[in-house]
């Protein structure tokens, strides 16, 4: 690949304990702005990526204060410094065990919240809709978990970012 490519990643198959499998990433390589695509969702798993040493030197290493989704936060930072190349082949198979971080909803929620806080301005600048989407999801999940104070905080951010969206307004109210 060209010299500006610092990350190469492929498709992979994720197998779950109930027997079903999922081919990821679902959207292999977005044609639009790649950093914005990474802000939308974590489309790359660390196990399926090859990363040049230089990318770690420029973007830094994993933020160990984040309990889950550290790879997503790293990709957001790395996308500022390098290009990504997709290999459209299944080159890895992973198994999600019962005690996997992927199954720990509270760690994933807290990880998502920390990533949102750390990159809040980046989300806001990328798109008010994207910012509102993440704030809404965090707030909604806190609400479902009974943490009303946290829910109101994030649903308020969502509504302020998209004040004329009924979903954001209704959830906040």
């Amino acid at each position: 690949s060209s010299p500006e490519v610092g990350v190469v990643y492929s498709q992979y198959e994720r197998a779950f304990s109930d027997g079903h499998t999922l081919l990821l990433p679902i959207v292999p390589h977005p044609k639009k702005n790649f950093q914005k695509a990474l802000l939308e969702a974590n489309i790359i798993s660390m196990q399926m990526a090859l990363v040049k040493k230089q990318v770690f030197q420029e973007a830094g290493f994993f933020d160990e204060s984040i309990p889950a989704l550290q790879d997503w936060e790293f990709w957001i930072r790395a996308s500022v410094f390098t290009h990504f190349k997709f290999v459209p082949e299944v080159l890895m198979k992973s198994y999600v065990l019962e005690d996997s971080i992927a199954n720990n909803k509270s760690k994933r929620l807290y990880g998502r919240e920390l990533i949102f806080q750390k990159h809040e301005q980046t989300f806001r600048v990328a798109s008010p809709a994207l910012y509102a989407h993440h704030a809404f999801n965090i707030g909604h999940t806190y609400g479902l978990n009974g943490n009303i104070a946290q829910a109101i905080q994030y649903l308020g951010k969502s509504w302020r970012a998209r004040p004329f969206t009924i979903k954001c307004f209704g959830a906040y109210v």
Side-chain angles (χ1 to χ4, degrees):
S1 63
S2 60
E4 64 267 2
V5 172
V7 178
V8 177
Y9 69 102
S10 69
Q11 285 186 306
Y12 74 105
E13 185 178 297
R14 179 175 276 178
F16 296 87
S17 57
D18 65 2
H20 84 278
T21 60
L22 186 61
L23 188 63
L24 296 166
I26 296 169
V27 178
H29 192 77
K31 301 294 182 205
K32 59 185 172 180
N33 178 306
F34 195 72
Q35 185 184 33
K36 186 173 178 186
L38 285 171
L39 291 170
E40 290 172 6
N42 186 14
I43 60 173
I44 305 173
S45 176
M46 197 64 196
Q47 301 95 325
M48 65 185 202
L50 294 172
V51 184
K52 287 182 180 177
K53 179 181 176 182
Q54 175 186 351
V55 175
F56 285 108
Q57 291 170 334
E58 292 177 3
F61 294 96
F62 297 106
D63 183 342
E64 295 179 28
S65 69
I66 299 173
L69 302 169
Q70 302 92 340
D71 56 345
W72 183 31
E73 194 277 329
F74 172 75
W75 300 132
I76 291 169
R77 285 184 285 119
S79 66
V80 173
F81 299 101
T82 194
H83 292 277
F84 291 67
K85 182 173 176 83
F86 176 67
V87 177
E89 296 177 47
V90 175
L91 299 177
M92 196 261 308
K93 186 171 187 175
S94 72
Y95 297 90
V96 179
L97 304 175
E98 292 297 322
D99 61 346
S100 170
I101 288 177
N103 286 331
N104 189 321
K105 292 178 181 172
S106 63
K107 279 188 178 181
R108 291 180 62 81
L109 172 60
Y110 188 53
R112 175 181 227 113
E113 180 181 18
L114 290 176
I115 292 167
F116 183 79
Q117 289 172 355
K118 185 173 183 177
H119 298 283
E120 192 164 356
Q121 188 59 30
T122 305
F123 283 109
R124 188 186 326 268
V125 169
S127 160
L130 183 59
Y131 177 89
H133 170 76
H134 285 295
F136 179 88
N137 284 342
I138 293 167
H140 182 70
T141 305
Y142 271 124
L144 291 174
N145 292 341
N147 188 333
I148 302 305
Q150 288 291 92
I152 290 171
Q153 176 187 347
Y154 283 97
L155 293 171
K157 288 181 181 211
S158 176
W159 173 62
R160 285 186 294 279
R162 307 268 334 255
F164 301 108
T165 305
I166 293 171
K167 175 180 158 181
C168 295
F169 175 74
Y172 181 63
V173 170

